[in-house]
Amino acid sequence: FERVDDSKPHALSITKNGKYYYTRNRSTLVAFAVGGKYQPGNAFKIIGGHTDSPNLKVKPRSKRSKSGCLQVGVEVYGGGP
């Protein structure tokens, strides 16, 4: 996947069979793949879904290692107590 800057849509160079992604607010990831029948200049649709409560949020200092495994520390975000 190639990172794109969604704040500069005029600079995007979308091509057939391309795979792209961008992030927003350090909490959203948008990734999409362009089909082989895409023609430059034509429109295409991106469909998404989300859930924002509750979820697991990666802690800022989360990298741990135990029993030979790499672990990531997380915390519950949203959804009440």
Side-chain angles (χ1 to χ4, degrees):
F1 283 82
E2 178 184 341
R3 184 177 185 147
V4 295
D5 184 351
D6 70 314
S7 68
K8 300 176 183 176
H10 60 281
L12 294 179
S13 179
I14 304 298
T15 60
K16 290 180 183 181
N17 299 312
K19 295 180 180 181
Y20 307 94
Y21 77 96
Y22 64 90
T23 60
R24 189 173 286 170
N25 300 329
R26 296 183 56 164
S27 65
T28 302
L29 170 67
V30 177
F32 59 98
V34 180
K37 294 182 179 180
Y38 170 72
Q39 295 295 320
N42 289 351
F44 62 92
K45 298 176 182 172
I46 298 175
I47 301 171
H50 75 92
T51 180
D52 53 9
S53 182
N55 66 41
L56 298 176
K57 192 171 186 179
V58 177
K59 292 182 178 181
R61 293 186 202 100
S62 65
K63 186 177 177 181
R64 301 178 190 164
S65 183
K66 186 175 182 180
S67 301
C69 294
L70 180 62
Q71 300 174 330
V72 177
V74 295
E75 61 189 349
V76 176
Y77 178 80

